[in-house]
Amino acid sequence: MTPSKSQLLTSATAALLASQGALGQQLTKPILNPEYDLGAMSQAFLPHLIAPAATSINKWPWGKLPAFCKSESIHEGFSAYDMEVYEVTFADCSQPWYMCRHNGSTMSVGGMINAFGSLPVGTRDFIRHIVVFPDFMTPGVAAHAKSGSGDLMFGHNYLDTSLWIHESGHIFDRQHGGNGDYSATSAWLNAYNSDSHLPTGYANTNQAENFAEHVILATYDNVVPGGLAGIPAPTPNRQAVQNQYTNVKNLLGNKIRKVTGATCNRQPTPLIGITSPVVCMGPDALAQGACVGTPNMKRDENGHDALIAAAEKEPGIYEPASRWTESA
């Protein structure tokens, strides 16, 4: 029997606090005044980050789903039986992405696909699953990144481009950090120490969030005509954070650009594959013949799901809903 949200709330809150603590201490530099308005930047992105055509959108038959989607649905207090799976291929990539959506989510299938497809293909290369829920077990959460496994989760109807880029920034952070996060390396800390300010109040949370905020700035500077210099008054002082966002631009290169004719380069790594193993939604689906021959995940002694890799079991990074516009 699936635990209720009320039963799981305490452990989820503890996991959220633990994950935040694990990311490091609050920073001490002053915040730009005015700081960068990420909501306005999301709107400015729209004409320049346009999703390529989805060449195929195949909804899986009910009964089976990627193991990660099942595990996360259970962890968030939902039934795996209510999850839909979409296999989506875009014109710039012959390999599909596997997106999971709870059937009660306020985010439409089209909204989910368009928001993801709008990301530069070099950014999408690093993302494995998109998972959409009606809400999260911990109140006031907009999104959740599993940086180790390359998975992104969103609640409600959070379609803001800046949020999706920010969450992708956490994936970049892990995938470019060697044995840890890039935001903990001397290369990043030197750039941080060379600047006088932070771009937003939220960047002050810790270096991981600061790095992800600068991925937004670096992407904006690459794809919006006029870049950061073209933001209308009151214009944030980009010179006060330029070593940080320039570091990100140099690190990520075309991964955060819209390059004409660019195609995907999805190279599976020990942390990111094209999909997690396909499993049965549960014994009812198995009994109905919906997933014959497909394994049904079992809990191990540590409370994890079988077939879920260590990178997927990390607490992840939760983003508060209060700082993001909830788009219609």
Side-chain angles (χ1 to χ4, degrees), residues 16-309:
L16 172 57
L17 295 175
S19 69
Q20 289 175 333
L23 291 171
Q25 296 182 341
Q26 187 174 19
L27 307 183
T28 57
K29 290 186 185 294
I31 311 304
L32 288 180
N33 184 17
E35 65 180 69
Y36 280 95
D37 183 341
L38 301 187
M41 292 173 75
S42 286
Q43 294 301 309
F45 273 124
L46 294 179
H48 310 290
L49 287 178
I50 299 174
T55 54
S56 66
I57 302 174
N58 297 320
K59 184 179 181 181
W60 283 14
W62 179 88
K64 57 187 179 181
L65 74 173
F68 178 78
C69 298
K70 178 174 181 177
S71 178
E72 285 302 304
S73 67
I74 294 171
H75 292 169
E76 293 298 338
F78 295 106
S79 170
Y81 293 117
D82 292 327
M83 298 300 290
E84 305 168 344
V85 183
Y86 294 88
E87 184 176 325
V88 182
T89 304
F90 294 99
D92 56 11
C93 188
S94 61
Q95 296 171 306
W97 277 272
Y98 299 92
M99 306 183 194
C100 302
R101 175 185 178 273
H102 187 278
N103 60 23
S105 174
T106 53
M107 187 183 296
S108 68
V109 175
M112 172 182 70
I113 293 172
N114 184 69
F116 178 67
S118 296
L119 300 174
V121 67
T123 299
R124 282 181 274 131
D125 275 338
F126 286 78
I127 298 169
R128 187 178 63 165
H129 295 308
I130 297 294
V131 187
V132 173
F133 296 115
D135 58 12
F136 286 97
M137 183 168 44
T138 304
V141 172
H144 179 196
K146 289 273 191 176
S147 55
S149 59
D151 299 302
L152 299 181
M153 288 144 281
F154 297 88
H156 291 295
N157 203 30
Y158 291 100
L159 294 169
D160 302 79
T161 305
S162 292
L163 171 60
W164 285 65
I165 294 173
H166 176 103
E167 295 309 290
S168 302
H170 290 308
I171 309 297
F172 281 136
D173 193 8
R174 176 60 54 85
Q175 295 304 314
H176 290 77
N179 293 325
D181 288 343
Y182 180 79
S183 59
T185 65
S186 59
W188 173 253
L189 295 177
N190 287 340
Y192 166 74
N193 289 326
S194 297
D195 282 337
S196 59
H197 284 69
L198 294 168
T200 65
Y202 193 61
N204 189 51
T205 305
N206 52 51
Q207 284 293 2
E209 298 296 357
N210 183 34
F211 177 84
E213 295 287 79
H214 278 93
V215 174
I216 302 173
L217 268 62
T219 305
Y220 188 99
D221 205 46
N222 280 341
V223 304
V224 177
L228 296 174
I231 293 177
T235 308
N237 178 14
R238 70 185 189 283
Q239 285 83 8
V241 296
Q242 67 179 352
N243 289 292
Q244 294 168 92
Y245 75 76
T246 300
N247 178 282
V248 172
K249 289 179 67 173
N250 291 337
L251 175 72
L252 300 181
N254 284 343
K255 297 166 188 172
I256 55 172
R257 294 180 183 275
K258 293 291 278 191
V259 180
T260 301
T263 57
C264 64
N265 183 28
R266 300 175 67 193
Q267 299 295 322
T269 72
L271 294 183
I272 296 181
I274 299 304
T275 184
S276 55
V278 177
V279 299
C280 186
M281 286 181 173
D284 291 344
L286 184 63
Q288 294 181 39
C291 47
V292 175
T294 303
N296 185 26
M297 291 192 301
K298 304 292 185 182
R299 293 281 176 163
D300 65 22
E301 65 276 10
N302 297 315
H304 296 310
D305 297 311
L307 305 179
I308 298 297

Side-chain angles (χ1 to χ4, degrees), residues 310-328:
E312 297 170 307
K313 297 174 184 176
E314 296 176 356
I317 301 171
Y318 291 80
E319 309 294 348
S322 57
R323 70 185 299 262
W324 303 101
T325 303
E326 191 166 353
S327 304

